[in-house]
Amino acid sequence: MASVALEYGPFGVTSNVISPGGIAGTEGMERLASSELDLKTSGKSVPTGRWGIVRDIADATVYLFSDAGNYVNGEVLVVDGGNWRAAGLSVGLDSTHRYPEYLFKGEFSKNIKSGKEKPKL
């Protein structure tokens, strides 16, 4: 995609990639997700609070092919509800903290350092 953007951009060709996250009701989710997975409950772990739908990917495609996206070239458009940004959200959390509830409640782990201790050199 990046090479095509550079080599064919002068000819008016744009080249982009859509990187989808988990999309409910697709073969990918059926093959990769556990059969015991409750999609409504597990979707709460995605920052937008839900798994994607096919329409989300279709809308991203329409955008890239429309005049609104005609100056976008050589990009990876991640369409996953912000889930790739949430990969490290378990760091520093107690086992009782669940995303995003701990944010709404203003809870913080009682097992992390306050940052006020003097460094040991």
Side-chain angles (χ1 to χ4, degrees), residues 33-120:
S34 168
S35 60
E36 297 176 6
L37 182 67
D38 175 21
L39 291 180
K40 289 187 180 188
T41 304
S42 65
K44 291 180 181 179
S45 66
V46 178
T48 56
R50 66 176 178 85
W51 291 111
I53 58 174
V54 172
R55 175 71 187 255
D56 295 323
I57 304 306
D59 288 346
T61 305
V62 169
Y63 162 71
L64 287 174
F65 280 98
S66 74
D67 283 340
N70 71 9
Y71 198 59
V72 178
N73 194 16
E75 292 298 321
V76 176
L77 180 58
V78 180
V79 183
D80 72 347
N83 203 31
W84 76 279
R85 297 264 186 203
L89 284 177
S90 62
V91 175
L93 297 179
D94 295 336
S95 61
T96 57
H97 291 150
R98 297 284 178 254
Y99 178 83
E101 285 80 20
Y102 74 91
L103 292 173
F104 297 139
K105 293 177 183 175
E107 295 175 346
F108 297 95
S109 174
K110 293 171 182 54
N111 300 310
I112 59 173
K113 292 183 178 182
S114 67
K116 296 178 182 177
E117 295 87 11
K118 291 186 177 184
K120 297 176 183 176

